[in-house]
């Protein structure tokens, strides 16, 4: 039987690469994005309408949306730079939107066999790993997304005993998303990132559901 995947944010660098890799591996891929479908993850009505039209069951749901900042802003270097509309927009995209999607996952996910949910977050969302501060709205929104994923995984485990739902840190990837901030970091291509993330995600078991893992499969501190 052909496996099915739903990719949220399939027009972004990582989401598109994940969709291509799965299709290459023989999966049936259903992509959703703002660019191609008018899917607006910050609008609950848009999420409900698009996901309500999806017909599962899916073996994999991958959420690859997110923004660093909004309205032409850059990530804050200090809290004194915090600006309300930017904070609200970043939280809407990085935390509230994934929550709207995760609310639909139990209906869409396969129950009879192993299934996987991956939420793209970031190591900078780790509270324990924060050593340098800054990037406050992005860090806080990703930390919120991690908590929401954790709660979703607990709920999912009650109805889908074979499901795995985790947060994933992709590393620094060569995309438009990171081009202005990657100079100090080793980067990988979107294609290599997709291969890494899928290898990690599809290799996890239900006992590891609710965790936070990096592209090498190592647990990340909350």
């Amino acid at each position: 039987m052909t496996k099915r995947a739903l990719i949220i944010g399939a027009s972004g660098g990582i989401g598109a690469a994940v969709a291509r890799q799965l299709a290459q591996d023989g999966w049936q891929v259903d992509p959703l994005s703002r660019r191609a479908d008018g899917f607006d993850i910050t609008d609950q009505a848009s999420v409900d309408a698009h996901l309500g039209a999806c017909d599962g069951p899916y073996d994999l749901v991958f959420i690859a949306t997110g923004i660093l900042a909004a309205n032409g802003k850059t990530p804050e270097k200090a809290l004194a730079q915090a600006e309300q509309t930017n904070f609200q927009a970043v939280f809407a995209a990085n935390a509230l939107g994934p929550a709207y999607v995760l609310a639909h996952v139990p209906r869409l996910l396969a129950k009879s066999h192993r299934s996987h949910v991956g939420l793209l977050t970031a190591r900078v969302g780790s509270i324990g790993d924060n050593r340098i501060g800054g990037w406050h709205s992005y860090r806080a929104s990703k930390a919120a997304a991690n908590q929401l994923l954790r709660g979703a995984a607990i709920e999912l485990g009650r109805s889908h005993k074979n499901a795995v739902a985790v947060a994933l840190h992709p590393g620094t990837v060569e995309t438009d998303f990171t081009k202005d901030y990657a100079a100090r970091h080793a980067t990988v291509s979107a294609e290599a990132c997709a291969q890494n993330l899928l290898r990690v995600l599809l290799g996890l078991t239900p006992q590891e559901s609710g965790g936070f893992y990096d592209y090498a499969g190592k647990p990340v501190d909350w």
Side-chain angles (χ1 to χ4, degrees):
M1 180 180 296
T2 301
K3 292 185 177 181
R4 300 183 65 206
L6 176 63
I7 310 299
I8 308 295
S11 64
I14 296 176
V18 168
R20 288 193 299 269
Q21 184 62 52
L22 288 169
Q24 181 179 319
D25 293 341
W27 289 61
Q28 175 187 325
V29 178
D30 291 349
L32 275 177
S33 69
R34 182 195 293 269
R35 187 179 306 165
D37 308 291
F39 177 88
D40 182 358
I41 198 167
T42 68
D43 180 357
Q44 188 172 12
S46 177
V47 173
D48 290 347
H50 282 88
L51 295 188
C54 289
D55 183 20
Y58 290 101
D59 303 282
L60 169 65
V61 176
F62 194 91
I63 307 167
T65 53
I67 59 173
L68 284 170
N71 307 315
K73 303 289 185 179
T74 57
E76 310 89 354
K77 293 183 178 179
L79 276 171
Q81 297 174 336
E83 193 271 326
Q84 181 175 345
T85 57
N86 180 63
F87 251 81
Q88 290 173 334
V90 172
F91 263 80
N94 294 347
L96 298 180
Y100 303 151
V101 173
L102 289 168
H104 285 267
V105 163
R107 179 183 65 81
L108 295 172
L109 207 63
K111 295 181 70 171
S112 62
H113 55 272
R114 181 75 55 82
S115 55
H116 294 82
V117 180
L119 172 62
L120 202 62
T121 65
R123 189 182 298 275
V124 295
S126 165
I127 296 172
D129 190 62
N130 186 357
R131 301 286 187 270
I132 62 174
W135 287 39
H136 296 289
S137 57
Y138 186 69
R139 285 184 185 274
S141 66
K142 290 298 189 180
N146 286 343
Q147 180 69 284
L148 290 162
L149 180 282
R150 178 78 171 190
I154 292 170
E155 292 183 17
L156 192 61
R158 295 173 183 146
S159 59
H160 293 63
K161 303 300 183 184
N162 298 309
V164 180
V166 295
L168 295 167
H169 166 62
T172 304
V173 184
E174 298 167 4
T175 66
D176 290 341
F177 187 84
T178 62
K179 64 182 181 181
D180 294 329
Y181 305 97
R184 296 183 294 107
H185 304 280
T187 60
V188 298
S189 68
E191 289 71 24
C193 171
Q195 293 168 6
N196 291 337
L197 293 178
L198 288 171
R199 181 174 61 251
V200 171
L201 177 58
L202 297 177
L204 294 172
T205 68
Q207 289 70 37
E208 295 162 303
S209 188
F212 184 14
Y213 299 92
D214 71 9
Y215 56 88
K218 297 179 180 178
V220 180
D221 191 1
W222 292 115

